[in-house]
Amino acid sequence: MSVAISVAISVSVDSRPPLRFFNTLGRRLETFEPLEAGQVRMYTCGPTVYAAPHIGNLRTFLFEDLLRRTLRWFGYRVEQAMNLTDVEDKIIAAAQRQGVDIATYTDPHIAAFFCDLGELAIEPAEHYPRATDHVADMIAMIEALVGRDCAYQADGSVYFRIGSFAEYGRLSGVDLTQARRGERVADDEYGKDDARDFVLWKAAKPGEPSWSSPFGPGRPGWHIECSAMSKALLGETFDIHCGGVDNIFPHHENELAQSECANGTPFVRYWLHAEHLLVDGEKMSKSLGNQYTRSDLVARGIAPRALRYLLLSVHYRHQLNFTFDSAATASAALERLDQMRYRLDNARTLDTTTADDLVEAGRRFEQHFATALADDLNVSGALGALFSFSHEVNRRVDQGVTVAERAAVVATLESADRVLGVLDAGAWRQREAPGGGPGVGDDEVEALVAERTAARGRRDFAEADRIRDRLAELGITLEDGPTGTRWRRS
Ligand code: AMP
Ligand code: ZN
């Protein structure tokens, strides 16, 4: 056993190729070199906690998880901050409509976000700063910008002076010089000197939450949040900044301008952006009724593990088209891997120490896997290598495997799963167990039962009944009792 594991690990960190990422800043592939050897600091724009995340948001968070896990697999220590935007126009309006304060309104959405991270096996970041906990940092940064004449006050608000930053547009390629000076573009920003300028501090309006500041009572604009929180947690210059492509302009362009003007130092070295998720080829929107959350999909029988696999399986710089067929394909792919693992675990043990085909196959796989990931997170290549390896294992198991081979394959799969987070060594065994049927594993049942309990908790009985019917189709019987719901396979 120890021999085999040392084989699997010895091909790892030392022989891994250098990582290359596509940097939005400059729009080219670059070899990754962190500021501090062995240590990566990265900031990932987090959710606006106005509603539970939709699967588009989750796609971006999963891309960031793949990046984080890949960096760790390549031997780096990672310090990641992901912010929670818990004050902004839509949140304020919704809280006012419900007659509650913004924390009361955002709390359940923050809980839903963390629940999704757990269900989708997204590794926790080191920091989850909330905008409302960092207003003092934002005010300090705005003061620095005013002090450097990169910002000015007007009617109780403060604006960033785009004309003060000659490099504005460097990240996104957007050319704002075409916007006419003095043009008034937004109702609440009529004090701007220049149409292109954007708000750093919004003057308080009656009934809205506000903080006192040297510029008068008000609240921060969205862009300054990320500049101030990244500086507080990761420093003025850090390695990687991520988000979805919609973040490139104006959000990240504005962050870059603010941070470099306020600090007088370079802001971020590598900017990585994920393309959007579409549903049935269309943009998600409430009016089309295609804006799914994780729990919507679990209620339709898609296990979180299959959703993770599906959302990860397309390269982050390509659009991903979600369909229910593609979710079924993802489940089937995982089943093939589950079954391979089961066959390996149950294969006859060969009484020899000479055969080492699968040790070699594991070594080759790990090299292909590493090469693909190093190439700007080429996840299709990495999964392709995994399926070729799985095929080789399947071909061999009928003849039996040696102790060293079995241990090497297990160690190699566990190593790959530190990046992918989708393998479940016990899943096929559960199906094979007496009473276990194909089509549903215990984790899937537990997830559906939890969704039903949540639906009952919010008195959505139609949804609860739909989930009960779905479970019945899968051969699961529920018994509701005083201590909760128990289930059994019928
Ligand atoms: P938000 O909660 O709107 O602030 O978005 C959180 C993250 O999800 C940001 O990084 C967005 O760029 C990203 N995002 C928003 N919509 C989509 C989508 N349809 N597909 C992928 N990522 C998205
Ligand atoms: Zn941000």
Side-chain angles (χ1 to χ4, degrees):
M1 179 76 115
S2 60
V3 174
I5 289 177
S6 73
V7 168
I9 291 172
S10 68
V11 279
S12 54
V13 179
D14 288 347
S15 58
R16 284 177 191 165
L19 285 167
R20 278 153 52 89
F21 298 132
F22 184 85
N23 194 345
T24 307
L25 187 65
R27 299 196 186 255
R28 55 163 194 255
L29 275 172
E30 286 177 19
T31 301
F32 177 68
E33 280 170 29
L35 277 170
E36 186 187 322
Q39 172 74 53
V40 179
R41 292 187 179 81
M42 75 173 187
Y43 188 90
T44 48
C45 284
T48 304
V49 286
Y50 162 73
H54 56 58
I55 53 173
N57 304 135
L58 296 175
R59 192 235 173 154
T60 292
F61 302 150
L62 278 162
F63 141 66
E64 291 156 351
D65 184 52
L66 179 67
L67 172 62
R68 174 193 168 90
R69 285 166 171 261
T70 299
L71 289 162
R72 282 160 56 85
W73 198 75
F74 275 74
Y76 293 104
R77 292 184 306 282
V78 175
E79 183 172 6
Q80 179 188 0
M82 179 179 266
N83 65 296
L84 306 178
T85 298
D86 60 352
V87 54
E88 55 84 73
D89 296 347
K90 277 198 303 197
I91 291 176
I92 293 170
Q96 279 178 340
R97 275 198 305 275
Q98 292 187 7
V100 295
D101 60 32
I102 52 172
T104 307
Y105 177 79
T106 55
D107 272 353
H109 304 309
I110 293 174
F113 164 71
F114 282 112
C115 181
D116 284 359
L117 297 192
E119 289 287 315
L120 293 175
I122 292 177
E123 279 188 359
E126 283 62 32
H127 311 279
Y128 289 104
R130 295 180 188 208
T132 50
D133 287 338
H134 283 268
V135 176
D137 293 322
M138 299 169 203
I139 291 172
M141 194 170 232
I142 298 170
E143 282 188 290
L145 287 167
V146 173
R148 289 174 173 239
D149 205 24
C150 299
Y152 56 91
Q153 300 183 48
D155 302 333
S157 293
V158 184
Y159 297 95
F160 182 86
R161 192 189 303 285
I162 284 197
S164 68
F165 188 55
E167 297 188 55
Y168 193 88
R170 182 159 57 113
L171 178 67
S172 61
V174 169
D175 178 6
L176 281 190
T177 55
Q178 303 309 317
R180 276 183 288 133
R181 288 183 73 80
E183 192 179 358
R184 293 177 177 181
V185 286
D187 292 342
D188 61 340
E189 296 179 9
Y190 42 77
K192 293 196 287 188
D193 284 359
D194 188 322
R196 305 170 304 167
D197 296 346
F198 61 88
V199 72
L200 299 166
W201 186 258
K202 296 185 173 188
K205 287 188 189 157
E208 287 191 353
S210 65
W211 286 259
S212 55
S213 82
F215 336 107
R219 62 187 166 97
W222 173 35
H223 314 302
I224 196 73
E225 291 180 9
C226 291
S227 283
M229 291 190 282
S230 61
K231 177 177 175 176
L233 295 164
L234 304 176
E236 291 180 353
T237 307
F238 54 94
D239 300 297
I240 301 181
H241 194 132
C242 304
V245 285
D246 58 305
N247 285 155
I248 300 174
F249 184 84
H251 184 47
H252 288 168
E253 192 71 63
N254 290 353
E255 275 186 45
L256 172 63
Q258 293 160 166
S259 292
E260 297 205 346
C261 288
N263 303 329
T265 47
F267 181 36
V268 168
R269 291 156 58 85
Y270 304 89
W271 292 84
L272 274 64
H273 292 99
E275 258 300 343
H276 270 187
L277 175 131
L278 307 175
V279 172
D280 290 326
E282 308 215 49
K283 203 170 153 52
M284 266 185 299
S285 80
K286 286 232 163 63
S287 56
L288 288 173
N290 65 357
Q291 203 174 70
Y292 299 116
T293 63
R294 180 208 35 100
S295 52
D296 293 334
L297 296 182
V298 169
R300 287 169 188 240
I302 300 174
R305 189 162 69 106
L307 183 59
R308 176 180 171 94
Y309 179 94
L310 172 60
L311 296 182
L312 275 183
S313 62
V314 172
H315 188 264
Y316 76 95
R317 287 197 291 117
H318 293 157
Q319 286 188 335
L320 188 159
N321 187 25
F322 174 86
T323 61
F324 283 89
D325 282 350
S326 62
T329 307
S331 300
L334 288 177
E335 277 178 21
R336 289 203 299 282
L337 294 170
D338 294 346
Q339 192 179 22
M340 174 271 290
R341 178 60 196 267
Y342 177 80
R343 296 184 71 210
L344 173 77
D345 289 346
N346 291 283
R348 189 163 55 89
T349 304
L350 295 179
D351 191 17
T352 162
T353 49
T354 50
D356 63 355
D357 295 8
L358 286 182
V359 177
E360 264 310 307
R363 208 194 306 267
R364 274 198 311 278
F365 156 65
E366 194 158 330
Q367 261 155 13
H368 290 150
F369 188 74
T371 306
L373 289 172
D375 178 18
D376 194 31
L377 304 179
N378 174 3
V379 73
S380 337
L383 290 172
L386 177 61
F387 278 99
S388 304
F389 179 50
S390 167
H391 191 63
E392 287 191 55
V393 175
N394 272 325
R395 240 187 1 198
R396 264 294 307 284
V397 287
D398 288 341
Q399 302 153 31
V401 293
T402 65
V403 170
E405 282 184 315
R406 187 176 355 247
V409 173
V410 167
T412 305
L413 290 173
E414 285 174 357
S415 166
D417 203 47
R418 294 212 311 277
V419 176
L420 298 173
V422 295
L423 300 182
D424 180 348
W428 201 266
R429 196 169 29 250
Q430 280 171 14
R431 283 163 201 231
E432 295 291 296
V440 67
D442 284 4
D443 54 345
E444 229 167 301
V445 177
E446 296 284 357
L448 282 164
V449 171
E451 292 306 327
R452 177 172 170 271
T453 306
R456 280 155 53 98
R458 52 174 200 272
R459 309 188 67 73
D460 185 351
F461 297 113
E463 176 70 357
D465 287 347
R466 220 167 57 71
I467 299 173
R468 175 193 277 276
D469 293 346
R470 167 81 187 139
L471 283 163
E473 277 168 24
L474 295 168
I476 306 295
T477 309
L478 301 183
E479 284 162 21
D480 295 320
T483 53
T485 302
R486 290 147 60 100
W487 62 270
R488 62 184 163 79
R489 295 181 192 275
S490 37

